[in-house]
């Protein structure tokens, strides 16, 4: 018996979600997907990336300076010991946290290296450079990266992190981002809107109602909170192009300025303006100079 394995290629609609600051990601969908499902899926990717944005740098700090202190205990250890007679617990890997937010009791170099590695891996997967690399993100993959970070934290601190630690809060769910630097950016699918080319993806419809039925489509989209109105349109030229145009304009302006400042009769010093130059050239004495002249 001979088994023939057929390889099917599926064309997908590529949604390039772009934020005003240039951050963004690619996501695959189909024209038969409902707009409600698409918006919900994009919100999940969006929020998962926010969790990684908080978790990755926090894991690095965890590796260096250990778990977070309670809010009322935060402050520089040196100050607390000197002026508050604080009796601090310090393990063999203690390194004082210059921010005063963490205990200083890290897990040691090897486990810190593991924390750094999984943090870097998650951060790189979610980075905006993936758009240039044409790599589409999936929620499953991001969740795997978060699971790797969770596993590394459990290895470093088997007893777990305190309930007030930012890492524990962000690990548990997107709700743990409240009060962090990205808390205001969290997207609720019920209150989110998706826009492409100044037109909103209306809920209750399909992707094909907005983009047509061609699966080989790629669009730049804006995901934002409902009620914000249409997003600002993309500039006609990129920031790099604008800078190049300004540099070219400045150079031409300087050239015109130098030309305007030059004397009107400057050309008289040129060889082509010498009335006797042609005669001397024909006589073969054009290059003859008096001794000592160059």
């Amino acid at each position: 018996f001979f088994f023939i394995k057929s390889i099917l290629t599926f064309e997908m609609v590529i949604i390039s979600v772009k934020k005003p600051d240039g951050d963004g990601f690619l996501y695959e969908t189909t024209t038969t997907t409902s707009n409600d499902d698409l918006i919900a899926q994009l919100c999940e990717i969006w929020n998962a990336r926010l969790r990684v944005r908080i978790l990755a740098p926090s894991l690095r700090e965890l590796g260096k300076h250990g778990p977070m202190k309670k809010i009322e205990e935060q402050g520089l250890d040196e100050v607390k010991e000197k002026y508050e007679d604080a009796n601090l617990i310090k393990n063999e890997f203690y390194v004082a946290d210059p921010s005063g937010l963490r205990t200083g009791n890290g897990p040691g170099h090897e486990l810190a290296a593991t924390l750094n590695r999984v943090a870097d891996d998650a951060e790189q997967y979610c980075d905006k450079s993936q758009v240039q690399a044409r790599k589409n993100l999936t929620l499953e993959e991001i969740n795997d990266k978060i699971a790797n970070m969770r596993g590394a934290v459990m290895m470093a601190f088997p007893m777990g992190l305190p309930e007030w630690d930012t890492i524990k809060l962000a690990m548990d769910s997107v709700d743990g981002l409240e009060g962090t630097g990205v808390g205001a950016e969290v997207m609720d699918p019920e209150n989110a809107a998706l826009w492409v080319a100044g037109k909103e993806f209306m809920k209750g419809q399909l992707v094909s109602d907005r983009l047509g039925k061609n699966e080989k489509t790629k669009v730049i989209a804006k995901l934002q909170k409902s009620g914000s109105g249409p997003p600002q349109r993309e500039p006609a030229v990129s920031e790099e192009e604008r800078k190049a145009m300004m540099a070219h304009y400045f150079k031409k302006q300087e050239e015109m300025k130098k030309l305007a400042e030059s004397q009107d009769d400057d050309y008289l010093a040129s060889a082509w303006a010498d009335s006797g130059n042609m005669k001397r050239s024909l006589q073969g004495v054009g290059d003859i100079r008096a001794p000592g002249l160059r």
Side-chain angles (χ1 to χ4, degrees), residues 56-57 59-64 109-122 152:
L59 255 70
R60 297 188 187 100
E61 289 301 305
L62 180 68
K64 290 188 291 185
H109 299 299
E110 292 185 5
L111 290 171
T114 300
L115 291 169
N116 287 338
R117 186 174 65 254
V118 295
D120 290 344
D121 182 47

Side-chain angles (χ1 to χ4, degrees), residues 20-119:
D21 61 2
D23 187 24
F25 61 91
L26 299 181
Y27 185 73
E28 282 186 341
T29 188
T30 65
T31 58
T32 57
T33 301
S34 71
N35 291 343
D36 299 67
D37 288 343
L38 174 60
I39 292 172
Q41 293 160 6
L42 292 176
C43 285
E44 286 184 315
I45 294 282
W46 179 289
N47 293 336
R49 291 179 78 243
L50 292 179
R51 291 172 68 192
V52 170
R53 243 171 79 186
I54 289 295
L55 286 169
S58 296
L59 255 70
R60 297 188 187 100
E61 289 301 305
L62 180 68
K64 290 188 291 185
H65 305 297
M68 292 187 72
K69 304 174 183 176
K70 291 182 179 180
I71 294 179
E72 61 270 20
E73 295 176 358
Q74 291 177 358
L76 297 177
D77 290 353
E78 183 180 1
V79 174
K80 286 184 168 293
E81 288 178 320
K82 185 174 182 179
Y83 298 102
E84 300 178 16
D85 295 326
N87 185 20
L88 303 178
I89 300 175
K90 301 180 181 180
N91 70 6
E92 58 179 312
F93 305 114
Y94 174 83
V95 177
D97 182 5
S99 70
L101 298 178
R102 296 183 176 274
T103 63
N105 295 318
H109 299 299
E110 292 185 5
L111 290 171
T114 300
L115 291 169
N116 287 338
R117 186 174 65 254
V118 295

Side-chain angles (χ1 to χ4, degrees), residues 85-238:
D85 295 326
N87 185 20
L88 303 178
I89 300 175
K90 301 180 181 180
N91 70 6
E92 58 179 312
F93 305 114
Y94 174 83
V95 177
D97 182 5
S99 70
L101 298 178
R102 296 183 176 274
T103 63
N105 295 318
H109 299 299
E110 292 185 5
L111 290 171
T114 300
L115 291 169
N116 287 338
R117 186 174 65 254
V118 295
D120 290 344
D121 182 47
E123 210 168 46
Q124 289 168 10
Y125 179 77
C126 295
D127 191 75
K128 64 181 181 181
S129 62
Q130 299 285 39
V131 175
Q132 293 289 339
R134 299 181 180 180
K135 183 174 180 61
N136 307 308
L137 303 192
T138 68
L139 182 62
E140 293 76 17
E141 190 72 23
I142 300 179
N143 284 338
D144 283 345
K145 304 298 182 184
I146 294 176
N148 291 340
M149 289 191 284
R150 181 181 289 109
V153 170
M154 292 178 64
M155 287 173 57
F157 297 91
M159 301 301 292
L161 297 178
E163 59 184 12
W164 55 80
D165 197 296
T166 299
I167 294 174
K168 177 174 173 52
L169 295 172
M171 283 283 189
D172 290 344
S173 73
V174 70
D175 294 334
L177 298 179
E178 185 177 354
T180 67
V182 300
E185 299 181 43
V186 173
M187 284 288 181
D188 179 1
E190 296 298 323
N191 299 308
L194 183 66
W195 293 76
V196 170
K199 295 182 179 180
E200 185 177 1
F201 277 56
M202 304 305 297
K203 294 182 177 179
Q205 296 183 350
L206 301 178
V207 171
S208 59
D209 294 324
R210 176 59 64 211
L211 300 181
K213 296 185 178 181
N214 182 9
E215 295 287 357
K216 297 176 63 175
T217 302
K218 180 179 179 180
V219 294
I220 296 177
K222 302 284 185 169
L223 186 65
Q224 62 184 31
K225 295 181 179 180
S226 301
S228 303
Q232 185 176 0
R233 288 186 175 274
E234 288 286 309
V237 294
S238 66

Side-chain angles (χ1 to χ4, degrees), residues 7-25:
I7 302 176
L8 301 179
T9 57
F10 297 94
E11 301 293 348
M12 303 287 284
V13 175
I14 305 298
I15 306 292
S16 178
V17 178
K18 190 172 182 180
K19 297 172 65 176
D21 61 2
D23 187 24
F25 61 91

